[in-house]
Amino acid sequence: MATQLKVDSPLLLTDEQMKTFITDGFLILQTDFSEEFHETLNTQLKTVYEEEGNPGNNLLPRIPELQKVFDHPIITGALTSVLGSDYMLHAHRHGHFNASPEAGGWHKDSYWGYQRMRNHHPWWAMIMYFPQDTPVELGPTGIMPGTQNYETRTFQDDETKEEALASGKAGTFALIHYDIWHRATPNVVGEPRFMLKFEFMRTKAPLAPSWDHEAESWSKPSSAQALPEQHDVMWEDTWNWLAGRVGSLADTRLKDEAEVQALVQELGDESEPQGLNAAYELACSGKNGVYELLQALYHENVRVSRVAAYGLSIAGPGAISGLISALENGRPKTVVHAAFALGELGHHAAKAVPQLIQCLKHSSEKVRRTATEVLSMIGQPTEEVVQGLSQCLEDPDVQVRFMAGLSLARLGPAAASAVPSLEKALNDENRYVRAHAAEALRYIGTEEAKDTLIQFLFNSRWCPTTTPANTFYP
């Protein structure tokens, strides 16, 4: 049974809310701030936007009152439930202003140019916060339920009757899977509409449920019945993964050879949802299914290789040796897909670490980016891993450099020997490399790391009240 919470304790999500997040990819929730709080917040936003323009990544320090939003127990509880208690508030944030009568285009958010395999397991999440009453006419964010796991857009503009709207009173927010398809809807009123977007990252693979957990086994929420596609294996695996049970569905849906071959044919289906279902089913079908997925990694159609990687990411220890062998392949995409699956398998993939360290020197920047990330997901912070990631902070590819900072943050105190390299990275030309290096120092937390971080923060101190209209006084 749930225990009674203190007023300022995170208000964790229920089993039903977590199941809905897994299937639908989002939740619409509500904070309970006063009308006066939101009036003040909106006044500040309007003043900043009118006098200075969009503050971009300085949104939070420019409007300090906004920090109260992200300290609210409903928001901290939602994020803790989905990302664990050690989640990171990412350096990228954006205040979206919408006064347009035209709808925005459907899209997934990028990783600042970082082309990567998108995780079906929730390693990332976003909050879209609405500080004013946002009826449908004011143009709330539109979300297409159940699309968080599709690389391709699976619906047309005239097929949006299932679109969910983040509409409601001031304080409404959408907690979304980072990769869900969404858009701005038309603001037919023409009055200012703000949406404050903040991104968050999981820093540790889950070891146990981090929500208000009572039900042990998976069952679909009622909302899932309305989704255009059903992904029973994918959803159950995500539930188990969030509860700390990595690869728990391996060998649970054994099939004969004819059934396996039928699923192999479906891997290349033009329908991405169909291909994904086949991959997930094969992952649970025993040795023959895993063998076919490993073969599909080398398929001439890169799309089939990518879909196979998702299946292998839940296949358990039986897939590890084959995935390690694929790291030696001459096609970079195959190496990326194999490394991705190893990262999702977490501690099961510990014996792949030496080969992944070698991938940090690969000629393909895409391989280096992937290896840099998955080494921290596997969670084996050996000195060789820390040394390799430290060297990545000086990689010629900026995306390798900023992912190295995030990975070192995930390793925490075990990455203490990286502090001198992180100190150098604090002077990198790229804002995210600098920010991620600072986060890594915070998560490492040794005296040396803290001293380095404090000195950097003092040197780069930004005054939120210094504006063109208010340069020095008061």
Side-chain angles (χ1 to χ4, degrees):
M1 296 295 291
T3 56
Q4 187 172 3
L5 295 168
K6 298 178 180 179
V7 173
D8 57 350
S9 296
L11 297 173
L12 301 176
L13 298 179
T14 65
D15 283 336
E16 189 68 13
Q17 287 175 312
M18 284 295 292
K19 291 175 180 179
T20 299
F21 182 84
I22 289 169
T23 59
D24 296 24
F26 72 97
L27 293 170
I28 305 298
L29 301 170
Q30 178 80 40
T31 58
D32 58 0
F33 289 109
S34 67
E35 291 184 11
E36 290 75 18
F37 173 83
H38 284 115
E39 287 174 1
T40 300
L41 187 56
N42 275 291
T43 298
Q44 291 176 320
L45 283 165
K46 290 176 182 177
T47 299
V48 169
Y49 272 69
E50 289 171 0
E51 296 183 357
E52 306 164 32
N54 193 323
N57 289 343
N58 284 328
L59 181 63
L60 194 56
R62 184 62 189 88
I63 306 174
E65 194 80 358
L66 190 55
Q67 183 60 50
K68 294 179 181 178
V69 170
F70 295 100
D71 291 337
H72 193 287
I74 291 177
I75 286 185
T76 60
L79 290 167
T80 297
S81 298
V82 171
L83 299 177
S85 59
D86 292 326
Y87 64 82
M88 180 190 297
L89 170 59
H90 200 275
H92 178 70
R93 61 283 307 258
H94 187 64
H96 286 264
F97 176 84
N98 179 20
S100 172
E102 301 295 328
W106 287 102
H107 64 283
K108 287 173 174 276
D109 277 15
S110 74
Y111 291 81
W112 329 283
Y114 183 27
Q115 298 175 357
R116 62 191 293 278
M117 286 278 288
R118 294 177 180 262
N119 307 92
H120 290 175
H121 295 148
W123 281 92
W124 299 73
M126 280 195 287
I127 279 182
M128 298 175 169
Y129 191 87
F130 295 85
Q132 71 284 301
D133 291 351
T134 310
V136 172
E137 297 78 13
L138 199 60
T141 299
I143 302 165
M144 189 53 62
T147 60
Q148 66 274 15
N149 297 317
Y150 307 149
E151 184 74 17
T152 55
R153 180 173 156 185
T154 57
F155 55 93
Q156 303 300 318
D157 283 330
D158 59 354
E159 297 174 342
T160 58
K161 62 181 181 299
E162 301 300 331
E163 179 179 10
L165 300 177
S167 176
K169 300 291 290 181
T172 296
F173 68 96
L175 169 70
I176 70 171
H177 188 292
Y178 188 88
D179 295 320
I180 205 164
W181 287 85
H182 60 280
R183 68 170 181 170
T185 60
N187 183 344
V188 298
V189 179
E191 296 177 0
R193 186 278 278 165
F194 291 102
M195 183 274 282
L196 310 178
K197 184 188 77 175
F198 284 72
E199 302 175 4
F200 300 85
M201 188 192 80
R202 173 182 286 277
T203 60
K204 293 186 176 70
L207 299 176
S210 56
W211 65 95
D212 189 5
H213 179 66
E214 294 183 353
E216 186 69 19
S217 60
W218 166 257
S219 61
K220 286 191 288 191
S222 57
S223 63
Q225 306 302 327
L227 296 176
E229 303 289 346
Q230 300 293 298
H231 297 290
D232 293 336
V233 179
M234 181 192 298
W235 294 337
E236 183 176 1
D237 169 75
T238 301
W239 170 266
N240 289 346
W241 184 85
L242 283 164
R245 300 189 291 270
V246 178
S248 61
L249 296 184
D251 300 324
T252 59
R253 289 170 168 80
L254 298 178
K255 294 175 174 60
D256 61 33
E257 184 60 23
E259 292 172 313
V260 167
Q261 290 306 314
L263 289 171
V264 170
Q265 294 302 311
E266 292 178 15
L267 284 177
D269 198 286
E270 288 299 318
S271 165
E272 185 181 9
Q274 187 77 9
L276 287 171
N277 276 343
Y280 275 86
E281 285 284 352
L282 284 168
C284 307
S285 300
K287 292 182 179 179
N288 289 344
V290 173
Y291 172 82
E292 295 294 350
L293 286 172
L294 288 168
Q295 296 308 301
L297 275 181
Y298 305 97
H299 198 284
E300 62 182 8
N301 187 330
V302 173
R303 181 171 58 85
V304 175
S305 175
R306 180 179 61 83
V307 169
Y310 282 113
L312 290 164
S313 73
I314 75 160
I320 302 298
S321 294
L323 288 168
I324 292 174
S325 296
L327 295 177
E328 303 293 332
N329 190 258
R331 184 174 70 171
K333 281 288 188 182
T334 296
V335 181
V336 166
H337 296 158
F340 167 85
L342 288 165
E344 289 289 0
L345 287 167
H347 64 88
H348 291 305
K351 66 179 182 179
V353 166
Q355 288 84 352
L356 288 167
I357 291 174
Q358 291 303 310
C359 287
L360 297 177
K361 304 173 184 177
H362 200 281
S363 59
S364 166
E365 68 274 8
K366 293 180 180 178
V367 171
R368 300 199 305 276
R369 295 170 192 169
T370 305
T372 299
E373 180 172 25
V374 303
L375 279 167
S376 65
M377 295 167 69
I378 291 172
Q380 297 290 318
T382 65
E383 188 54 41
E384 291 77 14
V385 169
V386 175
Q387 181 179 356
L389 293 176
S390 298
Q391 293 170 352
C392 286
L393 290 167
E394 299 183 17
D395 193 278
D397 182 75
V398 66
Q399 296 169 20
V400 172
R401 300 202 302 275
F402 73 61
M403 185 50 65
L406 287 176
S407 290
L408 289 165
R410 282 180 177 156
L411 297 182
S417 63
V419 169
S421 297
L422 289 165
E423 184 175 11
K424 292 180 182 178
L426 292 172
N427 294 309
D428 194 277
E429 64 183 6
N430 180 272
R431 70 190 71 191
Y432 295 116
V433 177
R434 299 192 300 270
H436 298 172
E439 287 287 3
L441 291 167
R442 181 167 73 94
Y443 277 87
I444 289 170
T446 61
E447 288 302 314
E448 181 186 10
K450 287 187 285 188
D451 288 345
T452 302
L453 177 59
I454 290 171
Q455 186 62 53
F456 166 71
L457 293 175
F458 267 112
N459 291 346
S460 59
R461 180 181 177 273
W462 188 75
C463 176
T465 57
T466 298
T467 69
N470 179 26
T471 51
F472 300 110
Y473 303 105

